[in-house]
Amino acid sequence: MGRHFEVRAAAMAASAKAKSAAYMRASKEIYAAAKSGTPDPASNLALRSAIEKYRKTCPKDVIERAIEKAKGSGDAVNLQSGRYEFFGPGGSYVIVDTLTDNVNRALVGVRTAVTRKGGKMGTVAYNFNFLGLIGFEGGDKEAIEEALILADVDVQSVNVEDGYTEVTVAPNDLEKAKDALKEMGITDFDTAETTMVPNEWVTIPDEDVVKFKAMLAELDEVEDVQAVYHNVENI
């Protein structure tokens, strides 16, 4: 399996515009999580998870401003989530999640980015599973499996390759799995989030790889895009 999950989304911050969109993405998700409960990560699990998701890729002040905005007494921003499914270049499958205050803008932005590279809308989500994913350097497979099972975590897989470990669990058990790993002394996670994992990875022709990468780059610049999932192995 390796680090396939690291390429499920666009190459973040490939340009100044993409970096701005990435920070907006983090800000909106953290704001929405803070608004879903109390704006305190100590008592709001969704907020704590959102902060941890972006803490390595997003400046601290962006995170803090999003939380402060959620605490404000002014008019709240009404953010709506959306999901769009596509057949991508080379027969690939692509899922795009959005979080937006303008659904029409989100749809147009996502659809334009995909269809310009030869994709088309279609039903593909049945080719994916919704799972909790944790990735980190190092780790002993047998010890990790044992610790997770003893913690009553619904473990889907533990893969160790080239000194890197990827663990997938039932989405509701993500926090429990993280706690079990921390008890083992594993505290620095590259990835710790819920995600869509493809049932099978595919290899697409080289000419389609070029289109696919260009499509991901365009999606990365769409401010309403929160996550992009796909099943392409060779990018």
Side-chain angles (χ1 to χ4, degrees):
M1 185 180 299
R3 301 194 183 193
H4 291 162
F5 294 108
E6 294 185 3
V7 297
R8 73 189 183 284
M12 302 296 287
S15 68
K17 186 176 180 180
K19 181 178 288 187
S20 176
Y23 293 166
M24 178 65 73
R25 183 178 301 125
S27 179
K28 287 194 296 184
E29 187 166 337
I30 291 167
Y31 171 85
K35 278 295 187 183
S36 71
T38 60
D40 180 359
S43 56
N44 184 332
L45 179 58
L47 177 57
R48 188 161 69 247
S49 296
I51 292 172
E52 185 163 342
K53 176 179 177 180
Y54 290 107
R55 65 183 175 85
K56 287 189 174 183
T57 59
C58 188
K60 185 178 180 181
D61 64 304
V62 172
I63 294 173
E64 291 176 345
R65 283 200 304 269
I67 296 173
E68 287 303 312
K69 183 178 179 181
K71 293 178 180 178
S73 58
D75 292 338
V77 179
N78 181 26
L79 296 175
Q80 299 182 60
S81 59
R83 170 162 289 176
Y84 305 98
E85 304 171 36
F86 298 92
F87 294 101
S92 58
Y93 299 141
V94 181
I95 296 176
V96 182
D97 283 348
T98 60
L99 187 62
T100 181
D101 60 356
N102 187 323
V103 174
N104 290 334
R105 182 188 66 211
L107 171 59
V108 171
V110 170
R111 186 171 57 192
T112 299
V114 177
T115 56
R116 279 204 299 210
K117 303 305 176 186
K120 62 179 181 179
M121 297 193 79
T123 303
V124 302
Y126 65 90
N127 292 289
F128 293 76
N129 289 308
F130 182 53
L131 295 172
L133 169 69
I134 305 172
F136 51 91
E137 296 286 347
D140 178 88
K141 181 177 180 177
E142 291 186 2
I144 290 169
E145 288 178 337
E146 181 178 359
L148 293 174
I149 291 171
L150 288 175
D152 196 29
V153 173
D154 185 356
V155 184
Q156 302 296 306
S157 67
V158 177
N159 293 282
V160 181
E161 185 176 323
D162 297 328
Y164 193 82
T165 300
E166 287 173 343
V167 176
T168 57
V169 301
N172 291 338
D173 283 355
L174 178 62
E175 292 301 318
K176 190 191 299 185
K178 286 164 55 181
D179 289 342
L181 292 170
K182 288 175 182 177
E183 287 291 326
M184 297 179 64
I186 302 169
T187 58
D188 189 13
F189 304 122
D190 293 326
T191 303
E193 60 185 356
T194 53
T195 186
M196 298 294 286
V197 179
N199 295 324
E200 291 184 332
W201 295 94
V202 299
T203 299
I204 61 177
D206 290 344
E207 60 269 24
D208 289 317
V209 169
V210 174
K211 293 180 183 178
F212 200 91
K213 288 182 176 180
M215 178 195 72
L216 291 182
E218 285 197 34
L219 285 170
D220 217 23
E221 294 185 354
V222 178
E223 65 175 281
D224 298 306
V225 170
Q226 284 300 114
V228 181
Y229 311 106
H230 63 75
N231 67 335
V232 178
E233 182 173 33
N234 60 320
I235 63 168

